[in-house]
Amino acid sequence: MENTPKVVMMGLGYIGLPTAALIASKKIQVTGIDISQQVVDTINEGKIHIVEPDLDGLVHYVVKNGFLKASTKAVEADVYLIAVPTPFKESYIPDLSYIESAVRNLIPTLKKGALVILESTSPVGTTHKVRDMILAERPELEGEIYIAYCPERVLPGNVIYELEQNDRAIGGIDEASTEKAVEFYKYFVKGELHKTNSQTAEMCKLVENSSRDVQIAFANELSIICDRANINVWELIRLANKHPRVNILQPGTGVGGHCIAVDPWFIVSEFPEEAKIIRLAREINNYKTEWVIEKVKNAALQYKIDYGRDAIIACMGLAFKPNIDDLRESPALHVAEQLGKEGFTVMNVEPNLKEHPKYRLSSTKEAIERADILVFLVAHQGFKGLNFNGNKQILDFCGVFKE
Ligand code: SAJ
């Protein structure tokens, strides 16, 4: 299309690929850049390397029609988006090396008037670091390019819808950058575009996920208290939530995924004295997983005392949350692995996965027939309403059989 910007997307992962495909679906020319030749080849065949509803059809369509192509090397563009991972290193220090290498990759292609937008979750101040990196190598671009931060906030499993519909916070390193970035997002976002500065936008992303982490920690703490007090935590939360201003989340096996279990550490590592509740929430949610492991081990040891043989333990659900197949940072997987490592007899059940490279997966039916202790770790829809014969011991850590 005439007058539409040429776009480069750095990073073709869980966020970069759907975003690139959505932009391309608006008949905008997008080149997606990834360090993996295999990822690049897969996308250029119109296929995808990640699991996300509706993404395969969209990528196939935009590649076939020539709006999206992938490459390992950045090309000249009007708008550059960066959506690469920001994991943490030892001691929870954020690792910015992927962002730095993406920026190094695009610097030689930058021209006057270009807009660079960072979408990766980043510690406060990262957008200014990106600017400094660019200007150190291309000082002639001072005042001639636009740089902004705009965090993604899509929910895995519902990415395509949320990419288009969710509001966005957009913060430039100066007002002109903010304006330029807002104009760009108008091409493909229907949600409201809220203007701010880059530091506030960076902190906004970290705070969103920390807020959810703190709320889940509250629910997890309640579940541990209720276990001691012999109170059904699910009933308790349902009743407390009848109050018009109370909205407690659900306890579970712990907090997994690559966002909520990671992002709060970016605040803690930068503000160690001040970020007290944020750190504690992380610790509580991590502890919840260890608590679950101890509970299962105790049940297995008691079984051995009662029946004189080792219990077969079925770990029901391995994904990091219900109804997906994503195992990244999954507390349920950690429980199953730890029990296996400690020599317990474990059956692994994940109905959303066909196979696992390391573990043999059992079906739900097989587990119900063979296991002595059924440990529900993820509240997958398919587990609800299951029936068991009287000899099974059920440990429900995620509210499959709520009340
Ligand atoms: N969880 C509970 N209890 C709850 C809700 C969730 O234990 O009541 C657990 C889940 O089982 C899972 C973890 O928390 O292990 C995280 O799941 P989630 O559905 O809360 O969030 P994610 O990690 O899939 O996606 C989050 C979202 N952030 C917020 O809701 C504030 C998403 O909007 C972000 O874009 C995403 O992180 C990200 O990429 O940062």
Side-chain angles (χ1 to χ4, degrees):
M1 232 204 288
E2 295 281 307
N3 298 329
T4 53
K6 269 200 193 150
V7 175
V8 155
M9 168 62 78
M10 309 292 292
L12 293 173
Y14 282 83
I15 299 302
L17 181 56
T19 309
L22 181 66
I23 297 170
S25 75
K26 308 294 174 194
K27 299 191 172 18
I28 293 174
Q29 202 62 51
V30 183
T31 309
I33 315 297
D34 203 279
I35 49 173
S36 160
Q37 186 66 49
Q38 206 184 339
V39 166
V40 166
D41 293 343
T42 306
I43 292 165
N44 283 334
E45 284 169 26
K47 298 186 184 139
I48 60 173
H49 60 293
I50 52 177
V51 178
E52 177 60 41
D54 305 329
L55 182 62
D56 49 351
L58 189 66
V59 168
H60 183 77
Y61 170 81
V62 291
V63 171
K64 204 182 80 195
N65 287 286
F67 291 111
L68 174 65
K69 60 173 189 285
S71 169
T72 52
K73 271 199 84 134
V75 295
E76 189 182 285
D78 302 301
V79 181
Y80 297 81
L81 288 148
I82 302 172
V84 294
T86 37
F88 50 66
K89 302 187 268 201
E90 265 169 53
S91 312
Y92 300 115
I93 307 287
D95 176 1
L96 299 184
S97 59
Y98 293 93
I99 295 181
E100 286 161 5
S101 72
V103 172
R104 269 196 298 276
N105 195 347
L106 66 82
I107 283 176
T109 71
L110 280 175
K111 60 179 181 191
K112 279 186 184 177
L115 166 65
V116 178
I117 302 170
L118 181 60
E119 285 208 356
S120 306
T121 303
S122 304
V124 175
T126 309
T127 312
H128 278 91
K129 280 192 187 145
V130 169
R131 181 200 59 187
D132 294 346
M133 271 184 81
I134 294 173
L135 295 184
E137 280 195 43
R138 302 281 306 275
E140 80 280 9
L141 291 176
E142 171 114 51
E144 303 283 351
I145 53 167
Y146 305 93
I147 304 174
Y149 184 75
C150 176
E152 61 78 19
R153 34 165 68 144
V154 293
L155 198 70
N158 196 25
V159 166
I160 302 292
Y161 174 83
E162 293 206 358
L163 264 178
E164 226 173 359
Q165 302 297 333
N166 288 357
D167 285 13
R168 305 289 292 244
I170 301 175
I173 52 164
D174 48 38
E175 272 181 36
S177 296
T178 308
E179 293 298 335
K180 191 95 171 159
V182 166
E183 285 311 307
F184 172 67
Y185 279 96
K186 282 184 187 164
Y187 281 110
F188 65 101
V189 173
K190 291 186 181 140
E192 259 185 72
L193 304 172
H194 304 274
K195 296 175 196 170
T196 180
N197 57 40
S198 61
Q199 293 95 332
T200 309
E202 288 160 344
M203 187 60 117
C204 190
K205 171 69 188 180
L206 303 180
V207 163
E208 286 162 17
N209 281 349
S210 300
S211 150
R212 193 149 169 91
D213 200 40
V214 169
Q215 291 177 54
I216 299 169
F218 182 71
N220 277 332
E221 183 164 292
L222 284 183
S223 71
I224 295 171
I225 293 170
C226 285
D227 184 71
R228 289 286 302 274
N230 208 13
I231 288 172
N232 180 324
V233 69
W234 315 102
E235 183 193 5
L236 174 76
I237 290 174
R238 182 175 61 78
L239 294 176
N241 284 350
K242 298 287 178 201
H243 184 291
R245 283 173 297 284
V246 174
N247 188 12
I248 304 170
L249 293 181
Q250 300 294 299
T253 306
V255 168
H258 43 292
C259 310
I260 296 187
V262 176
D263 300 357
W265 289 119
F266 289 14
I267 301 181
V268 175
S269 81
E270 213 168 333
F271 306 96
E273 293 298 317
E274 296 82 4
K276 293 191 176 68
I277 197 167
I278 299 173
R279 175 200 293 271
L280 196 57
R282 272 294 60 246
E283 287 168 358
I284 291 169
N285 286 332
N286 283 343
Y287 170 68
K288 181 65 195 287
T289 312
E290 302 309 316
W291 184 87
V292 167
I293 294 171
E294 282 309 306
K295 281 271 165 195
V296 180
K297 279 163 61 178
N298 286 340
L301 296 174
Q302 189 60 50
Y303 187 95
K304 187 155 190 178
I305 293 168
D306 293 344
Y307 296 95
R309 66 172 177 88
D310 287 336
I312 299 176
I313 303 166
C315 287
M316 306 298 284
L318 301 176
F320 88 78
K321 66 177 186 176
N323 310 322
I324 58 166
D325 66 347
D326 194 335
L327 300 180
R328 286 178 297 169
E329 314 291 330
S330 169
L333 182 64
H334 176 65
V335 171
E337 280 182 335
Q338 189 60 33
L339 292 170
K341 265 189 214 153
E342 293 192 30
F344 292 91
T345 309
V346 178
M347 296 173 80
N348 293 306
V349 180
E350 181 40 78
N352 296 301
L353 276 180
K354 284 199 190 77
E355 54 189 11
H356 187 279
K358 246 167 100 184
Y359 307 112
R360 179 184 175 274
L361 297 182
S362 304
S363 68
T364 303
K365 185 167 170 277
E366 209 181 331
I368 290 177
E369 279 165 14
R370 285 193 48 222
D372 305 302
I373 304 176
L374 288 143
V375 182
F376 286 85
L377 298 169
V378 190
H380 289 315
Q381 201 57 38
F383 292 154
K384 304 214 163 143
L386 288 176
N387 290 315
F388 316 98
N389 71 38
N391 293 332
K392 307 287 174 197
Q393 192 178 337
I394 309 296
L395 297 179
D396 179 9
F397 294 106
C398 53
V400 176
F401 309 100
K402 277 190 181 165
E403 284 169 29

